[in-house]
Amino acid sequence: MADKQISLPAKLINGGIAGLIGVTCVFPIDLAKTRLQNQQNGARLYTSMSDCLIKTIRSEGYFGMYRGAAVNLTLVTPEKAIKLAANDFFRHHLSKDGKLTLFKEMLAGCGAGTCQVIVTTPMEMLKIQLQDAGRIAAQRKLMPETVAAGTVETKSPTAMQLTRELLREKGIAGLYKGLGATLLRDVPFSIIYFPLFANLNNLGKRGVDGPAPFYVSFLSGCLAGSTAAVAVNPVDVIKTRLQSLNRGSTEDTYSGVTDCIRKILRNEGPSAFLKGAYCRALVIAPLFGIAQVIYFLGVGEMILSFLPKKDN
């Protein structure tokens, strides 16, 4: 409803809880996505998502699939909270002047995607270095010809070490490398996702004003999330390549978005932009399905109801 009062703290709690649950469930697939996207022709260590996960477990153990999870779990709470709450905020205010049209829904999604990159960019920057470290180490052992001669194997850095190093060498800009590509990914994603979810969810509502059952919200979140994820996957490949700091000796480096697009097209062909699309759909679908169930069940509102209320 247009006149429904938005409880921002509740929305932030809902988004945070949803993000924590979702990331814990799908993080290994996200790790496979990052490693598959970073593979370039001539240095392919993994043939598929399952091959990547099997080789990761063999060489790094079960917890190797959770490299970078601590960063993701720490920052996904504010990231998902900002994304969901911002969309709700924009939809609420855009609907005050009348019916919430498709254009206004897309505008709200654009606002949400723009807001979230404040947290998303440094989170992805750190996560990608940690996720891809195992690929570089495996290449050193199994494909030594792809590693520069004389390169000494070093212990994988921690998130704090990476953060300190980036801040020392490049300042805050170091954590925001790939900001442009992140915007190019997250804004279109939100423009597609939020209107599509809202309209799919409305189809399953009980009556005109009744809420949709939780399973409708879950399925709507899964379908809308996977659709938006595949649609923006080419930009996600570009973002992942730009944010990766360590590469094999035979792998390209990139100076920016246009340079990345040009080199990928020249050396790997258009199909390279679809690398990891299957994994990304498998990550995003349950992630946003879970998020919308938590969001619409009002878990945050329930938690806040147990807190003591101030007397007016």
Side-chain angles (χ1 to χ4, degrees):
M1 297 293 289
D3 59 350
K4 182 180 177 182
Q5 183 65 38
I6 293 178
S7 171
L8 186 58
K11 302 305 180 188
L12 294 174
I13 292 172
N14 284 330
I17 292 173
L20 289 172
I21 296 172
V23 167
T24 302
C25 294
V26 302
F27 193 84
I29 304 174
D30 186 64
L31 178 136
K33 178 211 70 126
T34 297
R35 293 188 177 185
L36 288 170
Q37 287 183 338
N38 262 332
Q39 287 191 139
Q40 299 183 24
N41 289 350
R44 294 190 62 189
L45 181 63
Y46 312 112
T47 59
S48 64
M49 179 187 73
S50 57
D51 181 57
C52 179
L53 293 177
I54 290 169
K55 286 179 177 175
T56 297
I57 293 173
R58 284 176 179 171
S59 62
E60 304 167 56
Y62 175 79
F63 290 105
M65 295 191 299
Y66 282 88
R67 278 178 180 262
V71 171
N72 215 182
L73 288 170
T74 301
L75 296 180
V76 77
T77 299
E79 189 244 10
K80 282 291 176 288
I82 290 171
K83 187 186 189 83
L84 294 171
N87 178 70
D88 217 29
F89 175 83
F90 289 124
R91 287 176 69 91
H92 176 73
H93 285 279
L94 286 170
S95 64
K96 282 183 175 180
D97 298 327
K99 184 181 178 182
L100 193 64
T101 63
L102 179 60
F103 175 75
K104 288 183 178 180
E105 288 183 323
M106 295 172 71
L107 196 60
C110 177
T114 303
C115 289
Q116 79 169 85
V117 298
I118 297 169
V119 176
T120 303
T121 306
M123 177 182 76
E124 292 274 308
M125 182 67 189
L126 295 172
K127 184 191 72 171
I128 285 171
Q129 313 317 315
L130 296 169
Q131 285 182 329
D132 205 41
R135 181 183 69 91
I136 300 298
Q139 280 188 358
R140 184 178 287 108
K141 293 176 182 178
L142 303 176
M143 304 170 67
E145 69 279 3
T146 66
V147 180
T151 302
V152 179
E153 184 173 359
T154 57
K155 188 177 180 181
S156 297
T158 64
M160 287 304 299
Q161 288 172 336
L162 278 170
T163 302
R164 285 196 295 267
E165 183 178 339
L166 286 168
L167 289 174
R168 184 177 65 250
E169 293 181 359
K170 301 179 181 179
I172 194 68
L175 290 173
Y176 280 87
K177 183 180 180 182
L179 175 62
T182 306
L183 276 168
L184 287 174
R185 181 196 68 171
D186 289 348
V187 171
F189 178 94
S190 295
I191 288 174
I192 296 169
Y193 172 77
F194 284 111
L196 183 56
F197 167 78
N199 285 280
L200 288 172
N201 197 54
N202 285 338
L203 294 176
K205 280 188 173 182
R206 297 189 179 103
V208 179
D209 297 319
F214 79 92
Y215 62 86
V216 172
S217 292
F218 176 77
L219 292 174
S220 297
C222 288
L223 183 57
S226 58
T227 301
V230 173
V232 302
N233 192 76
V235 188
D236 190 55
V237 172
I238 295 167
K239 183 198 72 66
T240 299
R241 296 282 183 94
L242 289 175
Q243 289 186 320
S244 297
L245 300 176
N246 297 315
R247 302 185 188 281
S249 61
T250 62
E251 294 180 338
D252 288 324
T253 57
Y254 312 103
S255 60
V257 172
T258 54
D259 181 56
C260 184
I261 294 172
R262 180 173 55 82
K263 286 181 178 176
I264 289 175
L265 284 173
R266 185 185 64 200
N267 300 328
E268 303 172 62
S271 62
F273 291 107
L274 295 178
K275 286 185 177 182
Y278 176 63
C279 295
R280 183 161 164 77
L282 287 179
V283 168
I284 297 297
L287 193 63
F288 279 86
I290 292 169
Q292 293 298 350
V293 169
I294 298 293
Y295 207 61
F296 282 90
L297 286 178
V299 175
E301 287 85 347
M302 183 178 67
I303 292 173
L304 290 175
S305 69
F306 290 108
L307 298 178
K309 295 181 175 60
K310 293 181 179 180
D311 295 328
N312 295 328

